[in-house]
Amino acid sequence: MSTAARFFIDGEFRAAGQVQPVIEAATGEPLGDGASAAEADIDAAVAAARSALAGWQSTSPDHRAEVLTAFAAALDQRARGTDELVTRENGMPMSLSRGANGRFPAALLRYYAQLITETPIEDIRPSMIGHTVVRREAIGVVAAIVPWNYPQALAAFKLAPALAAGCTVVLKAAPETALDALVFAEAAAEAGLPRGVLNIVPGGAVAGAYLVAHPGVDKVTFTGSTAAGRTIGEVCGRLLRPVTLELGGKSAAIILDDANLDATMKGLRAASFVNNGQTCHLSSRILAPRSRYDEVLGALVEMVGELKVGDPLDMSTDIGPLVSARQRDRVLGYIESGKDSSAKLIAGGSVPADQKRGWFVSPTVFADVDNSDRIAQEEIFGPVLAVIPYDGDDEAIALANDSEFGLAGTVWSTDDERATEVARAVRTGTIGINDYQLDFRAPFGGVKASGVGRELGPEGLDAFFALKSIYRVGPAADR
Ligand code: NAD
């Protein structure tokens, strides 16, 4: 694709008046100019989405499913370039990017294309005066704001159900990943999405805030930090505007005392480090049974030592660079705070000596961490683990729950039933047993400071409907 700075508004590519350079994470070199939306660009995008709404929401679910299926096919054709582009932008290892940026968005579009054809737009319920027709109507113009860590997948979490429900969308991509967002535009144009149904305006936090409060928006769906989510929630509260918030996490991996440590370490490579630690659902606190504490520490040090750090474009790389110098410095700041605490650094703890360019940080493990330490309570968003010892399952559960966040978690055990009992007691939106893999047929989201609402599954589609009850007198026989 062309990397010229462009917006996609009302079915057309428009040259951006303001640009912001996108920097390649592994080299620190400029990759291209990203479009950076000004207020006038957001106004134009919202106006286009508003004009397209009546037409799109009145199409049949079957028609929308057909268009979304064509959209998915157009994304599939671009998948092998999209994955590489995102890897250059944000440092995601190619082995992950192939699926997360290449294949996943199309798969999710197909899922919601199918689901919308199976979802009753109206259902009838008996009432005291006769019957009620309960209608699902598109909620309207959607402002979708996404971060840079999984830019294609997280945009798809929002676009796929919103478009299936009959909503029109203004997508604000993050400045770090402004280039790949336009892949959606090219695919939408090729697939014949009617003009204005999807509009794409990369830009920064100021543009995002302007979009959230825009009078032409009916619903906000946001993925990003808890700090930004709180601000957006406040604005939407004042406006009484429906909002879905997918925010940060500080999830626990509870290693039970019967765990198979070989299998646990294989699983934790992804569950605790996927995407260089820049993943909201990581198990970044490791709760280790005191009876096997030294064994767990030894296994972790060995596993971390085997992680291959380097060029994210190399399919064998496990850990690539962080997205930006700012993010690297933030993570190094947390590592310093760990070194200043009573915790013990047992792996990593600095920039790898052989990485002279880009924003790399070595996979890092602190042992003997107190759960009240900053490195156990705050989301670091880098490859840094905090190991905390515990005695007994009850203490493990209490420690897991002693967090501002509640997005994810994992339980590791040779007894699935015991692990599931522990999982039931953890206050979280999602949790994995001996693995952590999102299931796009099931709701995803957080409790506490990890967010409000759910994405994915049928619940993710519901978030884009407004419900209307039509009370009718008499029996429903005529319907
Ligand atoms: P961020 O909140 O700074 O930015 C996210 C997006 O929001 C960007 O597009 C940004 O431009 C925009 N933005 C920032 N402030 C805004 C405001 N006040 N109003 C409107 N838009 C605003 O987050 P980040 O550092 O880019 O991303 C990392 C964070 O995202 C982490 O905390 C991570 O846990 C979270 N995240 C959560 C999930 C989830 O599903 N729960 C998934 C991925 C990432």
Side-chain angles (χ1 to χ4, degrees), residues 18-232:
Q18 300 181 156
V19 298
Q20 181 162 343
V22 177
I23 306 296
E24 182 159 355
T27 64
E29 300 293 329
L31 185 60
D33 281 334
S36 180
E39 289 185 1
D41 304 312
I42 304 269
D43 288 341
V46 174
R50 176 63 54 197
S51 323
L53 180 63
W56 182 243
Q57 71 180 350
S58 64
T59 56
S60 69
D62 284 349
H63 175 76
R64 292 200 294 277
E66 230 171 80
V67 175
L68 293 191
T69 304
F71 190 11
L75 285 174
D76 271 342
Q77 278 166 20
R78 291 164 173 77
R80 285 309 283 270
T82 311
D83 49 16
E84 184 179 326
L85 179 60
V86 176
T87 289
R88 289 185 187 278
E89 287 173 315
N90 73 3
M92 179 186 291
M94 258 312 261
S95 54
L96 172 64
S97 197
R98 282 266 162 90
N101 298 303
R103 290 188 296 269
F104 179 82
L108 198 64
L109 279 163
R110 290 195 180 94
Y111 168 69
Y112 279 110
Q114 176 72 28
L115 193 65
I116 194 64
T117 63
E118 296 164 358
T119 303
I121 296 311
E122 296 189 347
D123 66 81
I124 294 172
R125 305 176 193 182
S127 74
M128 283 193 299
I129 59 166
H131 65 280
T132 299
V133 180
V134 178
R135 265 181 73 70
R136 288 164 194 80
E137 299 182 343
I139 202 163
V141 172
V142 171
I145 299 177
V146 291
W148 42 260
N149 62 336
Y150 288 78
Q152 291 280 311
L154 295 175
F157 274 33
K158 302 175 186 327
L159 301 183
L163 297 176
C167 296
T168 57
V169 177
V170 176
L171 171 68
K172 193 207 75 66
E176 294 85 349
T177 46
L179 305 179
D180 71 86
L182 270 298
V183 174
F184 284 114
E186 292 181 355
E190 184 180 298
L193 222 68
R195 51 193 288 183
V197 168
L198 173 61
N199 306 275
I200 298 177
V201 282
V206 173
Y210 184 73
L211 174 61
V212 165
H214 200 288
V217 165
D218 298 306
K219 152 109 196 179
V220 174
T221 172
F222 171 79
T223 298
S225 61
T226 291
R230 279 189 209 282
T231 307
I232 291 169

